[in-house]
Structure formats: C-alpha cells, structure tokens
Amino acid sequence: MASHRKSRPTGTRVAGIRTPALATAALTSVALLSQSTNAAPAADDKPSLEEVEKKVDDLYRQAESATDKYNAAKEKTAKQRKRADTLLDDVAERTQKLNEAREELGSFASAQYRTGAAAPDTATFLLADTPQDYFDQTQLMDRMTGRQKVAVDDYVTQQSETMKKRQEATESLETLTDSQDGLKTAKATVQRKLADARELMSKLTAEEKARLAAIEKEKRAEAARKADELARQQAAQQKAQEEAAQQQDSGPSSSGSGSSPSTAPADSSYATKADKALAFARAQIGKPYVWGAVGPGSYDCSGLTQAAWKAAGVTLPRTTYDQVNAGTTVPLSQARPGDLVFFYDDVTHVGIYIGNGMMIHAPKPGTYVREESIYYDGESAIHSVVRPA
C-alpha cells in the first residue's frame, strides 16, 4: 500500500534548523535584515539641530537649578560652620570653668587629707563616678561646710552645662557634615550638566554651529520686537496715569484713582534705590558668568541681582527661589527699572529690569553680564516680576 506521507526535502533536521540549504538562506536573510535595521537607525540616531539646541538649553537650565541648590547648600554650610565654631568655643570656655571648679574641690580634698579630717567629703565627691552618684550614695552633703557646698554646686552646674554644650556641638558638626555632603553633590551635578552641554556642542560641525548662530540671531530679533511692544504699552500706560493725575490735581479735592501725594515719596525712594542698583549692574557688564560667583570679578544670575541691590542698601537672599519671595509681585505691564524679572516654572533665572522690555543679567556659563530683552527665551519663559524694595 502506497504511503501518503509527503517526501522530505533532502538534508536532515538538526536542533530545529531545516535543511542546510534553507538554513543558509534564512541566516543570510536575517543577517541582511539585521544590517539594514542597524544601519537605518544609525542615520536617524543623530539628533536634529533643533533637538541639540533644546538639549543644550535644557542642560544649562538644569545646571542653573543645580547652581541654586549649590548656593543654598553653600550658605547653609557657612552658617552651620559658624554655629559649630561658636559652640566649640563655648565648650572650650565651659571646660576651662569646669576644670577650675574641679581644682577648687581638689583643694578641699587636699586640705582634708593633710589635716586628717574624719569626713573626706570632697574627696568622696571627686572619687564618685558622677556627681549624681555622690548625692545618691552618701549623706555627706549635710556635713559639708558652706564653701564646700558652693564649690560642689558650681562644679555640678559647670559639668551639666559643659555636657549639654558638647552634645550640641556634636550634633552641629554632624549637621555640618551633611551640609558639606549636599554641597559636594550639588557641585558635582552642576559640573556634570555643563560637561554634557559642552560635549554636545563639541560634536557639531562648523556648518551646524553657523546654523545655530543664525537661529539665535532670529530669536534675538524676535525678542527685541517683543521688548519694543512692551515699551510702547508701558509708555501709553504711563501717559494715561499722568493725564489722570493732572485731571485730579486740576479738579476738586477727592480720593480718586490717580497718584496721591502719599505715594509719591515711596515712589521717589524706590526710584533712588533702583538707580543705585542699576548703576552697579551696568558697571558689571562684560564680566563673565561663573556659577556660584557673587563678584566682584564674576557672577551668576542671582549673585548679580543680590550684589546690585546690596549696593542700594537692600539685602536680598542668595538664591532665585528665595529672591522671588523677597518683595512685592507686580504685573509685567507695570514693571519698573530695578524690578527683578524671574524665569521658568522652577524659578531658576533672574535679571534686573532696566525699562523698555530690557534687563541686565548674567545669562549662563560661557557668556558675560549683558543687556538683553526679557523675552530672550520667549514670552512663556517669564515667571514673574518682583519689586524688592
């Protein structure tokens, strides 16, 4: 009876692989497919110029954020070091007083030993493990002289206060160590972000860098246009306010909405301080941005604004996310020279407003303090405007 099985192709099946001929063909196809698959992404893996620009900008922003954390950690470390030094000095002073109290007690013990006193009260006290042990285990306090009692009380007080201060100093030193660790971590983060940005830029060709420069030029032109628009709006608003004030002055006395004499001195005072802050900021133009720097040779963004307002007699916090809370928030349309303009949702950049939609700021590593439109990174980048005094 004839078999109904189909005849097998020539060759044998080994470990799930079909005949050698088919296996070879299949493997060849897989290899070619693998090569084409790997080759295609190789061309596509290279990011576009726009993606590189965005990535570099993001890295610089992340570096600024890390810089603020570094600045905060540095400030905290300095305060903690000062506190630790104060506590250690206090411990040294109290230890000296404790030693003096111990010496006075020792003099009583020596006198008792020389005279052969029957009740070596002070010696017993000094030989006890702790002052409390002495009082718990003996009834000799009643037999002490008045001077001995005073000496023992002083010793107990000095020992208790010294132990307390030593504990505080130990805790303060531990906190200082934590602060120093945080400072190192923030510093390493800044350095890593900046290194990543430099590496990305180093991979660009001369042609790509030229294209990036052209894109940046277009962005600056658009930012300047937006600044001019804001300047016109503010000028119109100022003119309307002045006209309203003139009408109020010429009309009957009333508590209208125009500027009142009571607000004039405050405005004048702010303008005087703002002029000093701006004069200082202008004098720094051309100095390099250096993260963590507060002058006089270089600055980061918040270091510049802090130094500028310090020149006007106003103390600002060190970091952007503290400076943003150190004043009165005002609408952008009402921004005045001297106001602080903050950027990004995480408040990682700040400049000092000079009017007409322009500011002075320390932009980022590799740049210098300069005048620039507040729209340098687009209108959406502006977070808020704060009047610090």
Side-chain angles (χ1 to χ4, degrees):
M1 187 173 184
S3 172
H4 294 285
R5 293 180 181 176
K6 294 183 179 179
S7 60
R8 292 183 180 179
T10 57
T12 58
R13 180 185 295 272
V14 179
I17 300 177
R18 289 175 295 177
T19 61
L22 292 176
T24 301
L27 289 173
T28 302
S29 300
V30 169
L32 290 173
L33 180 60
S34 176
Q35 289 176 1
S36 62
T37 302
N38 292 333
D44 296 336
D45 275 349
K46 185 176 181 180
S48 67
L49 198 58
E50 290 74 13
E51 290 173 334
V52 171
E53 181 188 31
K54 184 179 184 304
K55 181 64 175 176
V56 170
D57 287 345
D58 286 346
L59 285 168
Y60 277 132
R61 279 190 55 198
Q62 291 168 21
E64 275 201 301
S65 178
T67 295
D68 260 346
K69 292 177 181 177
Y70 170 84
N71 290 337
K74 186 177 181 181
E75 191 173 44
K76 180 180 178 181
T77 299
K79 290 179 180 178
Q80 197 60 45
R81 182 178 286 111
K82 184 177 180 180
R83 171 172 167 73
D85 289 344
T86 300
L87 285 169
L88 289 173
D89 289 342
D90 196 3
V91 167
E93 183 179 347
R94 291 184 182 281
T95 300
Q96 177 63 30
K97 291 181 179 179
L98 180 63
N99 290 337
E100 292 172 357
R102 184 182 289 113
E103 288 174 3
E104 186 174 1
L105 287 175
S107 67
F108 284 121
S110 296
Q112 289 173 344
Y113 178 77
R114 287 195 305 270
T115 59
D121 302 340
T122 306
T124 303
F125 175 82
L126 289 173
L127 291 173
D129 291 337
T130 67
Q132 192 60 48
D133 288 343
Y134 172 79
F135 292 118
D136 289 344
Q137 297 171 15
T138 73
Q139 300 296 324
L140 298 178
M141 191 64 176
D142 292 338
R143 295 159 55 187
M144 284 185 176
T145 66
R147 285 185 61 196
Q148 285 175 312
K149 290 180 179 179
V150 171
V152 169
D153 286 341
D154 183 47
Y155 179 81
V156 172
T157 299
Q158 293 297 339
Q159 187 181 57
S160 175
E161 292 181 351
T162 301
M163 291 176 65
K164 180 180 178 181
K165 288 299 179 182
R166 282 176 179 168
Q167 180 62 30
E168 289 180 10
T170 299
E171 293 173 354
S172 180
L173 289 171
E174 290 174 351
T175 304
L176 176 60
T177 300
D178 292 340
S179 297
Q180 289 172 328
D181 290 342
L183 187 63
K184 291 177 182 178
T185 300
K187 181 178 181 178
T189 301
V190 175
Q191 292 173 329
R192 186 174 65 255
K193 298 297 182 183
L194 295 179
D196 289 345
R198 286 193 295 268
E199 182 181 2
L200 278 174
M201 291 300 293
S202 69
K203 293 179 179 179
L204 296 179
T205 64
E207 180 183 355
E208 288 172 328
K209 290 179 181 178
R211 285 171 56 198
L212 269 184
I215 293 173
E216 184 64 24
K217 185 177 180 179
E218 291 176 3
K219 288 172 65 176
R220 286 198 299 270
E222 175 62 16
R225 187 189 66 77
K226 294 286 293 183
D228 288 342
E229 182 181 335
L230 177 63
R232 287 192 296 272
Q233 292 174 357
Q234 291 178 333
Q237 185 181 51
Q238 179 66 24
K239 183 178 179 180
Q241 290 175 344
E242 290 174 354
E243 291 176 349
Q246 289 175 356
Q247 290 176 0
Q248 182 182 19
D249 291 340
S250 60
S253 177
S254 64
S255 57
S257 59
S259 300
S260 64
S262 62
T263 62
D267 291 344
S268 176
S269 173
Y270 180 77
T272 300
K273 293 176 182 178
D275 285 345
K276 292 179 180 179
L278 287 172
F280 179 92
R282 286 192 177 94
Q284 313 314 309
I285 290 176
K287 293 184 178 180
Y289 174 105
V290 174
W291 64 273
V294 294
S298 57
Y299 297 89
D300 62 17
C301 65
S302 57
L304 175 64
T305 51
Q306 183 189 49
W309 271 101
K310 183 179 180 180
V314 176
T315 300
L316 292 180
R318 177 65 182 92
T319 64
T320 55
Y321 46 78
D322 285 330
Q323 288 184 8
V324 75
N325 296 315
T328 304
T329 302
V330 297
L332 178 59
S333 61
Q334 297 177 21
R336 295 171 53 184
D339 291 350
L340 302 180
V341 186
F342 293 90
F343 298 86
Y344 311 117
D345 292 340
D346 52 357
V347 197
T348 53
H349 189 68
V350 62
I352 183 167
Y353 191 63
I354 60 177
N356 297 325
M358 301 293 289
M359 67 178 174
I360 297 173
H361 71 148
K364 61 185 178 182
T367 63
Y368 299 84
V369 176
R370 65 194 185 200
E371 290 188 12
E372 193 162 26
S373 168
I374 62 173
Y375 298 102
Y376 80 106
D377 202 21
E379 187 171 2
S380 62
I382 298 174
H383 177 274
S384 58
V385 179
V386 172
R387 191 158 297 157

